[in-house]
Amino acid sequence: MATEREKFYECEVKRRRVRATGGYESFWKVKPIAVALEDNDTEFRCMSCGGAVKLFKRRSEDGPATHIEHKLKTDSEYCAAGMYFLKATDGRQPRPSAAPVR
């Protein structure tokens, strides 16, 4: 029996832009995972809770599409888009990650 896994196809990626006063500043931008990889982005986080995520690349044509999953189960338990949160029946409320990616 296959294990059910959460899969997200969009996330936030860290980008840099030029400040009006000079120098650079970082910001988070929502992108599809496939586009982020084409753009050579390297820093990802969940767009709902800001938690750390793992990247899974497509290995074959028959395999699952490129996607991300939460690294921490606790993030998935309290993230509004997390698989464990959506399955919970105890009336829990969504909250930001306890260890957000900055």
Side-chain angles (χ1 to χ4, degrees):
M1 181 166 94
T3 311
E4 186 176 359
R5 304 189 61 153
E6 68 183 9
K7 296 179 184 174
F8 299 109
Y9 300 101
E10 284 190 337
C11 68
E12 289 184 328
V13 295
K14 195 170 207 176
R15 305 292 294 174
R16 288 177 20 159
R17 62 180 162 219
V18 178
R19 288 188 187 150
T21 58
Y24 292 97
E25 65 181 341
S26 298
F27 69 101
W28 292 96
K29 180 179 181 179
V30 175
K31 282 186 171 182
I33 302 298
V35 173
L37 291 175
E38 288 173 10
D39 293 346
N40 294 320
D41 292 318
T42 58
E43 295 184 59
F44 306 94
R45 73 178 184 182
C46 175
M47 62 186 191
S48 296
C49 70
V53 293
K54 294 184 276 188
L55 176 67
F56 292 89
K57 294 182 182 178
R58 176 178 279 201
R59 300 284 183 219
S60 69
E61 287 298 317
D62 298 335
T66 300
H67 65 280
I68 58 170
E69 298 176 6
H70 282 107
K71 280 187 178 179
L72 303 174
K73 184 177 178 183
T74 55
D75 284 348
S76 182
E77 290 173 341
Y78 290 96
C79 174
M83 177 181 69
Y84 294 107
F85 179 80
L86 296 173
K87 287 184 171 185
T89 58
D90 60 0
R92 63 182 69 177
Q93 296 296 312
R95 66 176 187 220
S97 173
V101 177
R102 305 238 180 249

